[in-house]
Amino acid sequence: MKIDTGLNTENTMFYALQAGETFIYENDIYIKAEDKYNACYAIRLRDGYCTVNMDIQKIVPKIKTKIVPDND
């Protein structure tokens, strides 16, 4: 996985993120996911760890740059 070194972020609340958007939390990169019941999850991209009880009022830096998988 490759991330642009000039990471472009903007602060937003966790609940305002759309499913599939990436953000930074505790020095790791996470992606927001929702299930069919609209429950929200934060999945750490490094190892797939899923945080279920994320505070929806938490202010997190939303990543505005694209993260693309390596082709090797």
Side-chain angles (χ1 to χ4, degrees), residues 1-4 22 29-30 44-48 66-72:
M1 201 172 297
K2 193 167 39 174
I3 303 166
D4 186 353
T22 50
I29 297 175
Y30 285 76
R44 189 166 53 204
L45 294 182
R46 175 171 47 95
D47 58 4
K66 288 190 176 182
I67 298 174
V68 291
D70 290 334
N71 290 330
D72 19 335

Side-chain angles (χ1 to χ4, degrees), residues 54-71:
M54 183 72 143
D55 178 7
I56 64 169
Q57 299 291 326
K58 182 110 183 123
I59 295 177
V60 294
K62 170 181 146 182
I63 299 173
K64 298 194 305 185
T65 13
K66 288 190 176 182
I67 298 174
V68 291
D70 290 334
N71 290 330

Side-chain angles (χ1 to χ4, degrees), residues 4-28:
D4 186 353
T5 52
L7 211 53
N8 188 4
T9 63
E10 66 181 359
N11 287 339
T12 187
M13 288 199 181
F14 178 71
Y15 76 83
L17 293 169
Q18 298 295 313
E21 288 187 313
T22 50
F23 62 96
I24 299 171
Y25 177 65
E26 293 181 345
N27 294 323
D28 268 313

